[in-house]
Amino acid sequence: MKNLLSITLLVIGIMSCSTDAVEPNHNEFYTIKKSEILVTVTRLDYNSDQCGNGCGTGSETVAYVNDSKIKVYHGVVTDPDHAGSPVLEGNTDSNGRWVATELEPGQYTVIAQTLYGIKSRALYTQLRKRSSIEFSF
């Protein structure tokens, strides 16, 4: 019984020292103050080998899309042309990622604009949590 109590206290102590997120560019732990949205933009590359090894032997790989324009709007946006100014905006890095930080918890619409098209999604954020969203083209 004493060992069980010791293990329980140890686990609680370890969990209370943990942080909430990993900074995507530096892989360092830090604590989220408000809310965040991690946006990842990818595309599917298909290599068909031109039937050199037999038809249907191609491969698919996921490629990250850098320099995608990301806009974050408060609430649900159905027409970006009439949405007003975004709360935050930026571009994805070489890993296809961009993080919207210091957001108040609530509902947001994220719009990703790339050379391959435009996509949007709405999501809710929570206090001191990071939400993740991926756009695949």
Side-chain angles (χ1 to χ4, degrees), residues 45-61:
D45 280 342
Y46 183 74
N47 180 4
S48 66
D49 270 343
Q50 300 297 320
C51 292
N53 294 327
C55 290
T57 60
S59 62
E60 295 177 344
T61 57

Side-chain angles (χ1 to χ4, degrees), residues 85-113:
S85 298
V87 176
L88 289 172
E89 60 184 309
N91 294 341
T92 56
D93 62 14
S94 61
N95 294 318
R97 294 179 182 167
W98 180 75
V99 179
T101 60
E102 297 298 316
L103 294 169
E104 294 295 330
Q107 187 174 24
Y108 293 91
T109 299
V110 180
I111 298 176
Q113 181 178 357

Side-chain angles (χ1 to χ4, degrees), residues 9-108:
L9 292 174
L10 177 65
V11 169
I12 290 171
I14 290 172
M15 290 181 71
S16 66
C17 294
S18 66
T19 56
D20 294 319
V22 176
E23 213 301 313
N25 295 328
H26 300 97
N27 291 331
E28 297 174 2
F29 287 102
Y30 71 101
T31 302
I32 297 172
K33 303 286 187 229
K34 292 185 180 181
S35 295
E36 293 185 354
I37 301 173
L38 171 62
V39 180
T40 306
V41 181
T42 61
R43 66 183 170 88
L44 190 61
D45 280 342
Y46 183 74
N47 180 4
S48 66
D49 270 343
Q50 300 297 320
C51 292
N53 294 327
C55 290
T57 60
S59 62
E60 295 177 344
T61 57
V62 175
Y64 295 102
V65 181
N66 66 329
D67 208 32
S68 300
K69 187 169 190 76
I70 307 297
K71 293 184 180 182
V72 178
Y73 295 91
H74 196 267
V76 177
V77 173
T78 55
D79 184 3
D81 293 332
H82 298 95
S85 298
V87 176
L88 289 172
E89 60 184 309
N91 294 341
T92 56
D93 62 14
S94 61
N95 294 318
R97 294 179 182 167
W98 180 75
V99 179
T101 60
E102 297 298 316
L103 294 169
E104 294 295 330
Q107 187 174 24
Y108 293 91

